[in-house]
Amino acid sequence: MRDHLRGLPLGAIALLALLSGGCLDNTGITPPGREFNFPIAGRLWPADAPTHLLVANTNFDLRYNGGTLSTWSLTRLDECLLTCSEMGIAGEDCYVTDIIRPGSDEVACPGLFKSEVIIDSFAADIALSPAGDRVYVPVRSSSELFQVELASDGTLSCGPDRRCDDSHQGVDDSVAREQGITLPVDPVGIYVGSASADLGLPEGSGDYVLLSHREGATSLLSAGTPGTQASLIDVRKDFAPNLASISRDPNSGLMWIPSASRPAIDRVGVAADDRSILSESFLYDAGSLPLRGIDTGAAGYGDARQVVFDPRGLHQAYVLSRQPRALFIVAPDESQDGVELRGEVDVGSGPSRVTVAVLRAGTPAEHTLAFVSCFDSRDVYIIDVDAPRLVSVYRGVSGPFDLAVDPVTEQLYITDFRASVIRVVDIAPTLDCLAGTASGECTPRQLGMLGRPRAIVELR
């Protein structure tokens, strides 16, 4: 991407052009079912024992009049990937689809697709409720929040029809406006938590939502009950511009929000005037954490994209940065006015997302690995965070963006934005290498793809 647009995430360049040209009101073609169109996020659900994959499609090229959120059966996907292997079809040529097309070289997999709803274009991310019964999707084109109900069998619903109705999208800001508070535009990051577990409110207080907004604001919302919009509670501005994703520090309870504009992590906290009701809560600036010991080059600015906290409960975090291009292992210092740099590993160009997982837990071969998608160099870096060192690089991915890891099946799901597919990758060879039991190739191997790659105009 051009240097003057380097702080923008995927979709933002086109979004700016579309906003200026007034082209977002597309009343034309309804998105076809069971297809991907520039997917931006993928999540395994439920978290403890995944049975489905959730995928948000952005409709980046505005081919249709909306994006989609869909669910797919992991059991059927694994069965059909095995069919590819039994038929002698290499993972690079295994295209699994729920749709049967006569004469196609795709592997038909009836029952693979579960459910789908239509949302607005340019989804920024997706987040699941703590109970796992709802999906929240912030959308940049309309600056709205979609709330989609998720049933125990993987069925999605947000109204009587396939397209989400008004009660499942948007934000109720009627009370906030009376206090002069309005929802900022351009939501880019989301965190969803339990108001009782995270904030100490009474049981049954529901979910709360924090959104980070591109131009330096954070908003607090109370999630609505089924059939009602989320309610805006408070907005805090004056953070660094070009904010990115938002993550909660499980030790302090503060939200960490990296920025593409400076070598520091902004932090925001949630407090309450009345500990019995979420609507009386407010946001406060908890101060920024300078990223000490990190060489940001002659320009003197950092470009951090995401923070992930250690899944084992260790008091450390993993910061993915584009400037400099690396994954940093950090921890808040004792005075809480900066972070201690514990390690760093260089990554490829255009790092976009990172996920951290404990693999083969409870065995002598246990390792905690970070998986980093590098959009521009078209690969995924696999890092041992405890060493810290680079373990392997999975190359040749068209447009890797979001990542999800299933520690049980030892499979990596790569959301390929450019090719509009989900790549399923076996990471067992890499884990065997770490355990010293590998007998052959140590890099991950692709098992197949959910969908068929689509040729598009090059994204730069």
Side-chain angles (χ1 to χ4, degrees):
M1 294 197 177
R2 296 176 183 267
D3 288 344
H4 68 283
L5 294 175
R6 69 189 313 283
L8 298 177
L10 290 176
I13 296 174
L15 181 60
L16 291 176
L18 292 166
L19 287 172
S20 62
C23 301
L24 284 172
D25 188 16
N26 179 1
T27 59
I29 304 172
T30 298
R34 311 182 184 200
E35 292 188 5
F36 300 126
N37 188 37
F38 297 100
I40 198 75
R43 296 288 183 277
L44 298 178
W45 172 88
D48 54 349
T51 58
H52 290 79
L53 175 70
L54 285 84
V55 180
N57 292 285
T58 64
N59 189 36
F60 179 88
D61 57 356
L62 292 184
R63 173 182 298 188
Y64 308 115
N65 59 18
T68 60
L69 178 69
S70 56
T71 54
W72 304 80
S73 168
L74 293 176
T75 299
R76 288 295 294 140
L77 178 57
D78 286 344
E79 292 171 349
C80 293
L81 292 175
L82 181 59
T83 298
C84 277
S85 178
E86 293 171 343
M87 295 173 63
I89 302 174
E92 292 74 19
D93 300 317
C94 175
Y95 314 126
V96 176
T97 176
D98 185 84
I99 304 172
I100 301 176
R101 296 183 176 92
S104 172
D105 61 352
E106 298 166 344
V107 175
C109 190
L112 174 62
F113 170 82
K114 178 59 183 179
S115 184
E116 185 176 60
V117 295
I118 299 176
I119 57 177
D120 286 350
S121 301
F122 293 97
D125 203 350
I126 57 180
L128 285 157
S129 65
D133 58 356
R134 181 179 287 186
V135 189
Y136 298 87
V137 187
V139 174
R140 301 186 67 181
S141 61
S142 55
S143 296
E144 292 189 340
L145 179 68
F146 282 74
Q147 300 181 124
V148 181
E149 310 305 323
L150 177 57
S152 58
D153 64 351
T155 300
L156 299 167
S157 62
C158 55
D161 302 314
R162 185 168 168 238
R163 188 177 296 273
C164 290
D165 61 23
D166 290 343
S167 66
H168 288 85
Q169 63 178 290
V171 173
D172 181 358
D173 63 354
S174 56
V175 175
R177 279 186 176 275
E178 294 176 358
Q179 305 172 41
I181 300 172
T182 57
L183 185 71
V185 299
D186 208 359
V188 292
I190 182 171
Y191 173 82
V192 177
S194 163
S196 57
D198 289 0
L199 306 179
L201 271 66
E203 291 293 331
S205 295
D207 298 340
Y208 72 103
V209 180
L210 275 95
L211 298 174
S212 55
H213 301 265
R214 174 60 53 186
E215 292 309 315
T218 304
S219 56
L220 170 65
L221 302 94
S222 172
T225 56
T228 63
Q229 294 178 322
S231 298
L232 180 63
I233 297 174
D234 194 23
V235 173
R236 184 81 188 193
K237 300 182 179 180
D238 302 324
F239 294 107
N242 294 317
L243 292 182
S245 60
I246 182 169
S247 307
R248 182 177 182 271
D249 179 356
N251 291 283
S252 67
L254 299 176
M255 306 294 167
W256 287 31
I257 314 174
S259 165
S261 299
R262 63 175 179 173
I265 304 293
D266 281 319
R267 294 181 304 166
V268 62
V270 181
D273 288 327
D274 184 340
R275 302 294 297 178
S276 66
I277 185 169
L278 180 58
S279 61
E280 295 299 316
S281 301
F282 61 91
L283 298 173
Y284 64 92
D285 185 347
S288 62
L289 294 175
L291 297 176
R292 296 196 184 111
I294 294 176
D295 182 7
T296 56
Y301 64 85
D303 182 353
R305 294 305 173 102
Q306 189 180 2
V307 176
V308 174
F309 289 92
D310 191 275
R312 298 165 294 181
L314 299 181
H315 194 31
Q316 66 183 27
Y318 309 99
V319 180
L320 182 62
S321 170
R322 284 196 174 188
Q323 176 61 34
R325 204 170 63 199
L327 180 71
F328 295 102
I329 296 93
V330 304
D333 64 17
E334 294 301 323
S335 61
Q336 291 288 298
D337 61 353
V339 295
E340 171 195 353
L341 179 61
R342 293 183 172 176
E344 62 181 279
V345 178
D346 293 342
V347 297
S349 59
S352 301
R353 288 288 186 271
V354 57
T355 187
V356 180
V358 180
L359 284 303
R360 299 186 177 175
T363 73
E366 177 180 317
H367 284 86
T368 302
L369 302 180
F371 299 81
V372 177
S373 64
C374 300
F375 188 82
D376 295 343
S377 56
R378 306 187 182 205
D379 41 37
V380 175
Y381 277 58
I382 304 174
I383 297 166
D384 185 331
V385 299
D386 292 326
R389 67 183 179 92
L390 178 65
V391 172
S392 181
V393 181
Y394 179 68
R395 303 188 186 277
V397 186
S398 179
F401 196 73
D402 206 14
L403 304 164
V405 177
D406 187 338
V408 176
T409 62
E410 298 181 348
Q411 290 179 177
L412 170 68
Y413 299 84
I414 304 173
T415 302
D416 192 327
F417 182 86
R418 275 196 184 99
S420 290
V421 296
I422 305 298
R423 297 178 184 269
V424 186
V425 176
D426 180 16
I427 55 178
T430 303
L431 296 172
D432 290 341
C433 271
L434 289 170
T437 59
S439 58
E441 179 61 46
C442 295
T443 57
R445 65 184 183 93
Q446 182 166 292
L447 299 174
M449 284 170 272
L450 176 52
R452 185 185 182 89
R454 190 174 73 227
I456 60 169
V457 176
E458 184 66 19
L459 297 176
R460 291 193 184 276

